[in-house]
Amino acid sequence: METVKRRRAAVRAAFPATVPVMTGFLTLSIAYGILMRTNGYGPLWSTLMSAIGFGGSMQYVAITLLVTAFDPLQAFLLALMVNARHIFYGLSLLNKYKGLGGARFFMVFALCDETFSLVSTLEPPEGVARKDFYFWITLLDYLYWVGGTALGGLLGRFITFDTTGLDFALTALFVVLFLEQWKKPENRPSGLIGIGCAAVSLAVFGPDKLVIPAMVLILAVLLGGRKRLCA
């Protein structure tokens, strides 16, 4: 009984924090399910892709890979460039996820941009265990994406209009997340660092190869700033 009460308290605390993610994820995942359907992949395949792959932006990119001649090297490099940011997410959450037991394995698997944004900035309210709070944030975000994909896959059979432009929904979500972070003055320096490093990487490496250099540059700037503060 105590376990049930603790779980309910964690869900009640985590759910309101994930509502903005829910609205964004449902829009994006439904669009993804529809795009998969219009490219010949039914709801079962799109749902499995979301449940097992859970790659967000990479899933959108994978649609093109699935409908063109397969190049394993190109697919690997593209997946690495798109998802390299998760390496830095994981490193920054080592302390937060320390001591969370077996739950951390699922939390590592289901870590995404939106979950990282919430977990890295929120602390559990009084009376809610840290493990339960972060676990339910992660699980709820995961279920929004997988459930929306299944719904989009089912709705896709009824879509008859041109779906060009649906993939832009992902870019729109990133913009909204950035604006939410920008509202807090203490988050603005890191936002400016990200913009500056991305701009430098774009100028030097071009739009097709900017992701990994930008991430490396951001990490270097943050580590350099930390060393200066500690000195």
PDB file of all heavy atoms in Angstrom, residues 31-55:
ATOM      1  N   ALA A  31       2.384  13.036 -36.319  1.00  0.00           N
ATOM      2  CA  ALA A  31       2.903  13.386 -37.643  1.00  0.00           C
ATOM      3  C   ALA A  31       3.860  12.315 -38.147  1.00  0.00           C
ATOM      4  O   ALA A  31       3.837  11.941 -39.339  1.00  0.00           O
ATOM      5  CB  ALA A  31       3.600  14.743 -37.596  1.00  0.00           C
ATOM      6  N   TYR A  32       4.702  11.788 -37.243  1.00  0.00           N
ATOM      7  CA  TYR A  32       5.643  10.737 -37.634  1.00  0.00           C
ATOM      8  C   TYR A  32       4.900   9.476 -38.060  1.00  0.00           C
ATOM      9  O   TYR A  32       5.241   8.863 -39.083  1.00  0.00           O
ATOM     10  CB  TYR A  32       6.584  10.430 -36.474  1.00  0.00           C
ATOM     11  CG  TYR A  32       7.436   9.210 -36.703  1.00  0.00           C
ATOM     12  CD1 TYR A  32       8.482   9.236 -37.612  1.00  0.00           C
ATOM     13  CD2 TYR A  32       7.178   8.018 -36.017  1.00  0.00           C
ATOM     14  CE1 TYR A  32       9.257   8.114 -37.845  1.00  0.00           C
ATOM     15  CE2 TYR A  32       7.942   6.893 -36.237  1.00  0.00           C
ATOM     16  CZ  TYR A  32       8.984   6.941 -37.154  1.00  0.00           C
ATOM     17  OH  TYR A  32       9.748   5.826 -37.389  1.00  0.00           O
ATOM     18  N   GLY A  33       3.901   9.086 -37.276  1.00  0.00           N
ATOM     19  CA  GLY A  33       3.125   7.904 -37.634  1.00  0.00           C
ATOM     20  C   GLY A  33       2.435   8.058 -38.974  1.00  0.00           C
ATOM     21  O   GLY A  33       2.371   7.111 -39.774  1.00  0.00           O
ATOM     22  N   ILE A  34       1.915   9.261 -39.243  1.00  0.00           N
ATOM     23  CA  ILE A  34       1.267   9.532 -40.533  1.00  0.00           C
ATOM     24  C   ILE A  34       2.277   9.451 -41.674  1.00  0.00           C
ATOM     25  O   ILE A  34       2.013   8.853 -42.723  1.00  0.00           O
ATOM     26  CB  ILE A  34       0.588  10.917 -40.504  1.00  0.00           C
ATOM     27  CG1 ILE A  34      -0.606  10.902 -39.547  1.00  0.00           C
ATOM     28  CG2 ILE A  34       0.134  11.322 -41.904  1.00  0.00           C
ATOM     29  CD1 ILE A  34      -1.228  12.266 -39.317  1.00  0.00           C
ATOM     30  N   LEU A  35       3.464  10.042 -41.476  1.00  0.00           N
ATOM     31  CA  LEU A  35       4.494  10.017 -42.520  1.00  0.00           C
ATOM     32  C   LEU A  35       4.949   8.590 -42.809  1.00  0.00           C
ATOM     33  O   LEU A  35       5.177   8.225 -43.962  1.00  0.00           O
ATOM     34  CB  LEU A  35       5.688  10.866 -42.096  1.00  0.00           C
ATOM     35  CG  LEU A  35       5.490  12.383 -42.148  1.00  0.00           C
ATOM     36  CD1 LEU A  35       6.682  13.099 -41.529  1.00  0.00           C
ATOM     37  CD2 LEU A  35       5.294  12.855 -43.582  1.00  0.00           C
ATOM     38  N   MET A  36       5.095   7.788 -41.759  1.00  0.00           N
ATOM     39  CA  MET A  36       5.473   6.386 -41.966  1.00  0.00           C
ATOM     40  C   MET A  36       4.397   5.662 -42.768  1.00  0.00           C
ATOM     41  O   MET A  36       4.695   4.872 -43.680  1.00  0.00           O
ATOM     42  CB  MET A  36       5.691   5.701 -40.624  1.00  0.00           C
ATOM     43  CG  MET A  36       6.988   6.070 -39.930  1.00  0.00           C
ATOM     44  SD  MET A  36       8.444   5.274 -40.684  1.00  0.00           S
ATOM     45  CE  MET A  36       8.294   3.610 -40.012  1.00  0.00           C
ATOM     46  N   ARG A  37       3.156   5.938 -42.441  1.00  0.00           N
ATOM     47  CA  ARG A  37       2.052   5.279 -43.140  1.00  0.00           C
ATOM     48  C   ARG A  37       2.018   5.674 -44.613  1.00  0.00           C
ATOM     49  O   ARG A  37       1.840   4.825 -45.504  1.00  0.00           O
ATOM     50  CB  ARG A  37       0.731   5.662 -42.461  1.00  0.00           C
ATOM     51  CG  ARG A  37      -0.495   5.008 -43.084  1.00  0.00           C
ATOM     52  CD  ARG A  37      -0.672   3.593 -42.583  1.00  0.00           C
ATOM     53  NE  ARG A  37      -1.751   2.891 -43.264  1.00  0.00           N
ATOM     54  CZ  ARG A  37      -2.399   1.846 -42.754  1.00  0.00           C
ATOM     55  NH1 ARG A  37      -2.080   1.410 -41.549  1.00  0.00           N
ATOM     56  NH2 ARG A  37      -3.350   1.236 -43.416  1.00  0.00           N
ATOM     57  N   THR A  38       2.200   6.963 -44.870  1.00  0.00           N
ATOM     58  CA  THR A  38       2.155   7.424 -46.264  1.00  0.00           C
ATOM     59  C   THR A  38       3.357   6.928 -47.072  1.00  0.00           C
ATOM     60  O   THR A  38       3.332   6.987 -48.303  1.00  0.00           O
ATOM     61  CB  THR A  38       2.099   8.963 -46.328  1.00  0.00           C
ATOM     62  OG1 THR A  38       3.229   9.514 -45.642  1.00  0.00           O
ATOM     63  CG2 THR A  38       0.823   9.483 -45.692  1.00  0.00           C
ATOM     64  N   ASN A  39       4.404   6.449 -46.375  1.00  0.00           N
ATOM     65  CA  ASN A  39       5.573   5.896 -47.060  1.00  0.00           C
ATOM     66  C   ASN A  39       5.556   4.369 -47.082  1.00  0.00           C
ATOM     67  O   ASN A  39       6.563   3.734 -47.411  1.00  0.00           O
ATOM     68  CB  ASN A  39       6.862   6.385 -46.399  1.00  0.00           C
ATOM     69  CG  ASN A  39       7.233   7.794 -46.828  1.00  0.00           C
ATOM     70  OD1 ASN A  39       7.810   7.997 -47.889  1.00  0.00           O
ATOM     71  ND2 ASN A  39       6.878   8.769 -46.012  1.00  0.00           N
ATOM     72  N   GLY A  40       4.403   3.787 -46.717  1.00  0.00           N
ATOM     73  CA  GLY A  40       4.237   2.353 -46.869  1.00  0.00           C
ATOM     74  C   GLY A  40       4.452   1.521 -45.629  1.00  0.00           C
ATOM     75  O   GLY A  40       4.434   0.285 -45.702  1.00  0.00           O
ATOM     76  N   TYR A  41       4.641   2.145 -44.465  1.00  0.00           N
ATOM     77  CA  TYR A  41       4.868   1.403 -43.232  1.00  0.00           C
ATOM     78  C   TYR A  41       3.678   1.597 -42.296  1.00  0.00           C
ATOM     79  O   TYR A  41       3.355   2.720 -41.905  1.00  0.00           O
ATOM     80  CB  TYR A  41       6.156   1.865 -42.546  1.00  0.00           C
ATOM     81  CG  TYR A  41       7.403   1.513 -43.322  1.00  0.00           C
ATOM     82  CD1 TYR A  41       7.911   2.375 -44.285  1.00  0.00           C
ATOM     83  CD2 TYR A  41       8.049   0.297 -43.120  1.00  0.00           C
ATOM     84  CE1 TYR A  41       9.035   2.049 -45.017  1.00  0.00           C
ATOM     85  CE2 TYR A  41       9.180  -0.042 -43.849  1.00  0.00           C
ATOM     86  CZ  TYR A  41       9.666   0.832 -44.798  1.00  0.00           C
ATOM     87  OH  TYR A  41      10.781   0.501 -45.525  1.00  0.00           O
ATOM     88  N   GLY A  42       3.027   0.501 -41.949  1.00  0.00           N
ATOM     89  CA  GLY A  42       1.822   0.548 -41.137  1.00  0.00           C
ATOM     90  C   GLY A  42       2.091   0.903 -39.684  1.00  0.00           C
ATOM     91  O   GLY A  42       3.239   1.075 -39.265  1.00  0.00           O
ATOM     92  N   PRO A  43       1.030   0.992 -38.874  1.00  0.00           N
ATOM     93  CA  PRO A  43       1.167   1.399 -37.473  1.00  0.00           C
ATOM     94  C   PRO A  43       2.039   0.466 -36.638  1.00  0.00           C
ATOM     95  O   PRO A  43       2.693   0.911 -35.690  1.00  0.00           O
ATOM     96  CB  PRO A  43      -0.279   1.427 -36.964  1.00  0.00           C
ATOM     97  CG  PRO A  43      -1.062   0.611 -37.937  1.00  0.00           C
ATOM     98  CD  PRO A  43      -0.384   0.780 -39.251  1.00  0.00           C
ATOM     99  N   LEU A  44       2.060  -0.826 -36.957  1.00  0.00           N
ATOM    100  CA  LEU A  44       2.892  -1.759 -36.198  1.00  0.00           C
ATOM    101  C   LEU A  44       4.360  -1.401 -36.341  1.00  0.00           C
ATOM    102  O   LEU A  44       5.094  -1.322 -35.344  1.00  0.00           O
ATOM    103  CB  LEU A  44       2.655  -3.194 -36.673  1.00  0.00           C
ATOM    104  CG  LEU A  44       3.558  -4.261 -36.024  1.00  0.00           C
ATOM    105  CD1 LEU A  44       3.332  -4.306 -34.517  1.00  0.00           C
ATOM    106  CD2 LEU A  44       3.304  -5.635 -36.644  1.00  0.00           C
ATOM    107  N   TRP A  45       4.800  -1.137 -37.589  1.00  0.00           N
ATOM    108  CA  TRP A  45       6.210  -0.825 -37.824  1.00  0.00           C
ATOM    109  C   TRP A  45       6.593   0.519 -37.224  1.00  0.00           C
ATOM    110  O   TRP A  45       7.659   0.654 -36.608  1.00  0.00           O
ATOM    111  CB  TRP A  45       6.500  -0.840 -39.321  1.00  0.00           C
ATOM    112  CG  TRP A  45       6.407  -2.197 -39.927  1.00  0.00           C
ATOM    113  CD1 TRP A  45       5.453  -2.668 -40.769  1.00  0.00           C
ATOM    114  CD2 TRP A  45       7.300  -3.300 -39.696  1.00  0.00           C
ATOM    115  NE1 TRP A  45       5.684  -3.979 -41.095  1.00  0.00           N
ATOM    116  CE2 TRP A  45       6.813  -4.395 -40.449  1.00  0.00           C
ATOM    117  CE3 TRP A  45       8.446  -3.464 -38.932  1.00  0.00           C
ATOM    118  CZ2 TRP A  45       7.445  -5.633 -40.449  1.00  0.00           C
ATOM    119  CZ3 TRP A  45       9.088  -4.706 -38.937  1.00  0.00           C
ATOM    120  CH2 TRP A  45       8.582  -5.776 -39.695  1.00  0.00           C
ATOM    121  N   SER A  46       5.754   1.512 -37.372  1.00  0.00           N
ATOM    122  CA  SER A  46       6.088   2.834 -36.821  1.00  0.00           C
ATOM    123  C   SER A  46       6.102   2.802 -35.301  1.00  0.00           C
ATOM    124  O   SER A  46       6.962   3.431 -34.671  1.00  0.00           O
ATOM    125  CB  SER A  46       5.097   3.886 -37.330  1.00  0.00           C
ATOM    126  OG  SER A  46       3.769   3.557 -36.989  1.00  0.00           O
ATOM    127  N   THR A  47       5.165   2.061 -34.705  1.00  0.00           N
ATOM    128  CA  THR A  47       5.129   1.967 -33.237  1.00  0.00           C
ATOM    129  C   THR A  47       6.350   1.229 -32.707  1.00  0.00           C
ATOM    130  O   THR A  47       6.944   1.627 -31.693  1.00  0.00           O
ATOM    131  CB  THR A  47       3.843   1.265 -32.768  1.00  0.00           C
ATOM    132  OG1 THR A  47       2.705   1.960 -33.276  1.00  0.00           O
ATOM    133  CG2 THR A  47       3.760   1.242 -31.250  1.00  0.00           C
ATOM    134  N   LEU A  48       6.741   0.150 -33.383  1.00  0.00           N
ATOM    135  CA  LEU A  48       7.951  -0.582 -32.979  1.00  0.00           C
ATOM    136  C   LEU A  48       9.184   0.298 -33.112  1.00  0.00           C
ATOM    137  O   LEU A  48      10.085   0.259 -32.264  1.00  0.00           O
ATOM    138  CB  LEU A  48       8.111  -1.855 -33.818  1.00  0.00           C
ATOM    139  CG  LEU A  48       7.219  -3.041 -33.462  1.00  0.00           C
ATOM    140  CD1 LEU A  48       7.398  -4.170 -34.461  1.00  0.00           C
ATOM    141  CD2 LEU A  48       7.513  -3.532 -32.048  1.00  0.00           C
ATOM    142  N   MET A  49       9.231   1.093 -34.172  1.00  0.00           N
ATOM    143  CA  MET A  49      10.359   2.006 -34.358  1.00  0.00           C
ATOM    144  C   MET A  49      10.453   2.987 -33.191  1.00  0.00           C
ATOM    145  O   MET A  49      11.541   3.253 -32.659  1.00  0.00           O
ATOM    146  CB  MET A  49      10.214   2.762 -35.671  1.00  0.00           C
ATOM    147  CG  MET A  49      11.295   3.799 -35.924  1.00  0.00           C
ATOM    148  SD  MET A  49      12.895   3.080 -36.349  1.00  0.00           S
ATOM    149  CE  MET A  49      12.672   2.906 -38.120  1.00  0.00           C
ATOM    150  N   SER A  50       9.308   3.518 -32.759  1.00  0.00           N
ATOM    151  CA  SER A  50       9.315   4.467 -31.648  1.00  0.00           C
ATOM    152  C   SER A  50       9.623   3.782 -30.323  1.00  0.00           C
ATOM    153  O   SER A  50      10.325   4.337 -29.481  1.00  0.00           O
ATOM    154  CB  SER A  50       7.951   5.173 -31.557  1.00  0.00           C
ATOM    155  OG  SER A  50       7.805   6.125 -32.574  1.00  0.00           O
ATOM    156  N   ALA A  51       9.085   2.583 -30.122  1.00  0.00           N
ATOM    157  CA  ALA A  51       9.267   1.889 -28.850  1.00  0.00           C
ATOM    158  C   ALA A  51      10.689   1.381 -28.669  1.00  0.00           C
ATOM    159  O   ALA A  51      11.239   1.422 -27.565  1.00  0.00           O
ATOM    160  CB  ALA A  51       8.277   0.723 -28.748  1.00  0.00           C
ATOM    161  N   ILE A  52      11.305   0.914 -29.752  1.00  0.00           N
ATOM    162  CA  ILE A  52      12.647   0.326 -29.664  1.00  0.00           C
ATOM    163  C   ILE A  52      13.726   1.338 -30.033  1.00  0.00           C
ATOM    164  O   ILE A  52      14.736   1.461 -29.358  1.00  0.00           O
ATOM    165  CB  ILE A  52      12.749  -0.923 -30.571  1.00  0.00           C
ATOM    166  CG1 ILE A  52      11.731  -1.970 -30.125  1.00  0.00           C
ATOM    167  CG2 ILE A  52      14.163  -1.493 -30.536  1.00  0.00           C
ATOM    168  CD1 ILE A  52      11.636  -3.170 -31.049  1.00  0.00           C
ATOM    169  N   GLY A  53      13.487   2.072 -31.117  1.00  0.00           N
ATOM    170  CA  GLY A  53      14.478   3.053 -31.558  1.00  0.00           C
ATOM    171  C   GLY A  53      14.428   4.327 -30.744  1.00  0.00           C
ATOM    172  O   GLY A  53      15.458   4.838 -30.322  1.00  0.00           O
ATOM    173  N   PHE A  54      13.250   4.848 -30.516  1.00  0.00           N
ATOM    174  CA  PHE A  54      13.017   6.054 -29.706  1.00  0.00           C
ATOM    175  C   PHE A  54      14.090   7.110 -29.994  1.00  0.00           C
ATOM    176  O   PHE A  54      14.821   7.535 -29.115  1.00  0.00           O
ATOM    177  CB  PHE A  54      12.990   5.709 -28.216  1.00  0.00           C
ATOM    178  CG  PHE A  54      12.428   6.826 -27.361  1.00  0.00           C
ATOM    179  CD1 PHE A  54      11.147   7.309 -27.566  1.00  0.00           C
ATOM    180  CD2 PHE A  54      13.188   7.395 -26.361  1.00  0.00           C
ATOM    181  CE1 PHE A  54      10.632   8.338 -26.784  1.00  0.00           C
ATOM    182  CE2 PHE A  54      12.680   8.423 -25.575  1.00  0.00           C
ATOM    183  CZ  PHE A  54      11.400   8.892 -25.789  1.00  0.00           C
ATOM    184  N   GLY A  55      14.154   7.511 -31.262  1.00  0.00           N
ATOM    185  CA  GLY A  55      15.209   8.434 -31.660  1.00  0.00           C
ATOM    186  C   GLY A  55      14.751   9.829 -32.011  1.00  0.00           C
ATOM    187  O   GLY A  55      15.573  10.664 -32.377  1.00  0.00           O
TER     188      GLY A  55
END
